[in-house]
Amino acid sequence: LEATVDGVADDADREPVEGAVEFTGGTVTATLPQRGLLVDRPESVDDVADSYLVVSGPIVLPTTTTDPTVTESEVQRAVTEFAEPAMSAPVPLRTDIGTAELSTSLLGGVLSMEADDMGTLQPVLDEQGLLEASAEQLDALGRPATDAAVAIRNGTPTVIPSSTGQEPDTSTYADDVLTALTAAGDQRVVTLPLQSRPADFTTEDAENAGVREVVAEFTTSYPHADYRNTNIGRAAELANNTFLKPGDVFSMNGAVGERTEARGFTSGFIIESGRFAEATGGGVSQLATTLFNAGHFAGFDDVEHHAHTLYIDRYPVGREATVFWGSLDLRFGNNTPYGAVVQSFINPSSPGTTGSVTVRVWSSPYWDVQSVTGTPFNSRPFERKQISGPDCVPSSGSNGFDIVVTRTLSRNGAVQEREEIYTRYEATPEVVCTG
């Protein structure tokens, strides 16, 4: 009997449902309260036992009810007085130099209502959540500080001063937003005062960064082609005067950006799937290789580099790099206590003459670098391919091979680091275009 009553009670018992107001996607959802019900199990066992063979028909079990803390009238009040006004429109933000707005969807994500001890629903705004969710809006209300840098001007390191920015004072931001949520018309706005935002890297920091002389320089040459002058020259222009603080990582894709016609690049040859093809920005790997070698001999960390799948004889064997927007990057890290400036420029080619691209790293001497290129091994013969179609580019074949370059970094005569750079070159097929 006890087990049977427990089974009935388990089905009948229910916790009280508290009245609540929630905000989802900028809309208001109200939950009406419901009383809780609890079967008195011991008394029910006695009643059933006493009624057995005596009472015909159903037996009503004794129960107690529990009232929710938040009443239906309180839910209705919270919806009318706060929730609906709060979600009625965005909240504009203002400073003396910028404007933005908080959408109802954003507000709903950081807003809630919680019951106090008296069962009254009180609005709660997640202050940290609001700051994080509205970071972009707050940025639009101020003016960012500009870090100082060092650039090479007329062959001399020159400090570019920092500038102080302005940012909104958010000390009363959450309270002001909460107040504005139930205001209407011109009162539904939050005006924030501005405060100064100093630069993270100041003019004094740049002056003390130690950018004094050329610590590494590398030049590569390329045969004449108009697209090479255009693409390599434009890439070198964009990468030129990149300043690296200690610990910063240089990214060629980050410095040069996507190679598109709108950004000054043109169509040229690249290596794709083991053969030559055309693409916008073709040829910029010449700069990638030159940058790689300058970083290599500066002793910088080799964060990311990708060798060509096929060996190109105008590049240093085992010390070259290719890039491709969105997938392959060239990155090296400034692992010294000094700042560094990457300077890059070209000497354009002309019909009958080669061009060159030069990269210099300006800083203070720190690493003693020794680089040794090993002997090629694992030679692989090339094969002959016949390709038809307008995109075919003929080329002569060359064998594939492996090679290891060993770089040793020392300070004051003591070896600090030794690394091996392993490169595998596939055989370059002889491509014959059949029309």
Side-chain angles (χ1 to χ4, degrees), residues 250-293:
F250 173 86
S251 161
M252 179 169 168
N253 281 341
V256 175
E258 187 173 4
R259 276 70 80 182
T260 64
E261 291 185 4
R263 302 189 69 250
F265 293 91
T266 189
S267 180
F269 288 113
I270 63 170
I271 296 176
E272 183 176 37
S273 301
R275 65 187 184 93
F276 290 95
E278 284 195 67
T280 302
V284 297
S285 289
Q286 184 87 34
L287 176 63
T289 291
T290 314
L291 283 164
F292 173 78
N293 278 274

Side-chain angles (χ1 to χ4, degrees), residues 51 54-60:
S51 301
V54 176
V55 177
S56 62
I59 300 171
V60 178

Side-chain angles (χ1 to χ4, degrees), residues 33 70-78:
V70 179
T71 64
E72 183 173 341
S73 61
E74 173 57 20
V75 171
Q76 293 171 346
R77 182 206 64 79

Side-chain angles (χ1 to χ4, degrees), residues 314-377:
R314 66 176 180 273
Y315 296 155
V317 61
R319 295 199 325 264
E320 46 90 13
T322 185
V323 290
F324 193 83
W325 179 257
S327 58
L328 305 179
D329 198 4
L330 167 72
R331 296 186 295 152
F332 51 74
N334 179 5
N335 54 4
T336 78
Y338 305 111
V341 176
V342 177
Q343 182 187 19
S344 55
F345 56 91
I346 72 165
N347 179 20
S349 66
S350 59
T353 66
T354 60
S356 65
V357 55
T358 297
V359 174
R360 294 172 180 157
V361 177
W362 294 71
S363 187
S364 286
Y366 188 76
W367 293 113
D368 295 321
V369 180
Q370 182 183 32
S371 183
V372 177
T373 302
T375 302
F377 60 99

Side-chain angles (χ1 to χ4, degrees), residues 116-323:
D116 60 17
D117 293 340
M118 301 299 294
T120 302
L121 289 172
Q122 303 287 357
V124 177
L125 187 59
D126 179 357
E127 183 173 357
Q128 185 60 37
L130 174 64
L131 288 170
E132 293 174 1
S134 61
E136 184 176 342
Q137 288 85 344
L138 292 173
D139 285 344
L141 300 177
R143 181 183 299 112
T146 303
D147 282 350
V150 182
I152 308 305
R153 301 281 188 260
N154 299 320
T156 303
T158 304
V159 171
I160 301 172
S162 62
S163 66
T164 301
Q166 289 182 292
E167 63 183 7
D169 181 351
T170 58
S171 56
T172 63
Y173 178 42
D175 291 338
D176 293 344
V177 170
L178 200 55
T179 299
L181 288 175
T182 52
D186 294 341
Q187 300 302 309
R188 191 182 177 84
V189 64
V190 173
T191 301
L192 298 170
L194 290 169
Q195 59 186 6
S196 296
R197 169 65 187 270
D200 294 328
F201 193 78
T202 66
T203 301
E204 183 180 4
D205 293 332
E207 291 171 344
N208 296 328
V211 180
R212 299 186 180 91
E213 61 187 89
V214 176
V215 297
E217 178 174 345
F218 204 80
T219 299
T220 60
S221 300
Y222 58 88
H224 173 68
D226 289 338
Y227 80 85
R228 288 195 178 102
N229 284 332
T230 297
N231 292 338
I232 300 171
R234 178 59 175 151
E237 176 187 15
L238 292 168
N240 187 43
N241 276 327
T242 299
F243 176 64
L244 303 176
K245 299 186 291 294
D248 279 356
V249 174
F250 173 86
S251 161
M252 179 169 168
N253 281 341
V256 175
E258 187 173 4
R259 276 70 80 182
T260 64
E261 291 185 4
R263 302 189 69 250
F265 293 91
T266 189
S267 180
F269 288 113
I270 63 170
I271 296 176
E272 183 176 37
S273 301
R275 65 187 184 93
F276 290 95
E278 284 195 67
T280 302
V284 297
S285 289
Q286 184 87 34
L287 176 63
T289 291
T290 314
L291 283 164
F292 173 78
N293 278 274
H296 180 82
F297 287 104
F300 287 165
D301 284 336
D302 181 3
V303 177
E304 177 185 358
H305 91 277
H306 306 270
H308 289 83
T309 55
L310 309 177
Y311 175 58
I312 301 173
D313 59 9
R314 66 176 180 273
Y315 296 155
V317 61
R319 295 199 325 264
E320 46 90 13
T322 185
V323 290

Side-chain angles (χ1 to χ4, degrees), residues 13-150:
D13 287 350
R14 64 175 181 266
E15 294 292 330
V17 175
E18 290 291 348
V21 175
E22 296 178 334
F23 304 91
T24 306
T27 60
V28 178
T29 302
T31 300
L32 296 180
Q34 296 181 24
R35 281 182 169 182
L37 180 71
L38 189 65
V39 175
D40 187 329
R41 301 184 186 212
E43 188 175 343
S44 294
V45 170
D46 292 342
D47 285 357
V48 172
D50 292 344
S51 301
Y52 185 57
L53 299 181
V54 176
V55 177
S56 62
I59 300 171
V60 178
L61 303 183
T63 61
T64 57
T65 58
T66 306
D67 290 327
T69 303
V70 179
T71 64
E72 183 173 341
S73 61
E74 173 57 20
V75 171
Q76 293 171 346
R77 182 206 64 79
V79 169
T80 302
E81 295 183 7
F82 180 78
E84 288 181 343
M87 295 294 101
S88 63
V91 172
L93 303 178
R94 301 281 187 272
T95 65
D96 290 342
I97 60 175
T99 62
E101 72 173 21
L102 304 177
S103 68
T104 55
S105 178
L106 183 153
L107 291 166
V110 296
L111 194 62
S112 61
M113 299 199 78
E114 297 180 3
D116 60 17
D117 293 340
M118 301 299 294
T120 302
L121 289 172
Q122 303 287 357
V124 177
L125 187 59
D126 179 357
E127 183 173 357
Q128 185 60 37
L130 174 64
L131 288 170
E132 293 174 1
S134 61
E136 184 176 342
Q137 288 85 344
L138 292 173
D139 285 344
L141 300 177
R143 181 183 299 112
T146 303
D147 282 350
V150 182

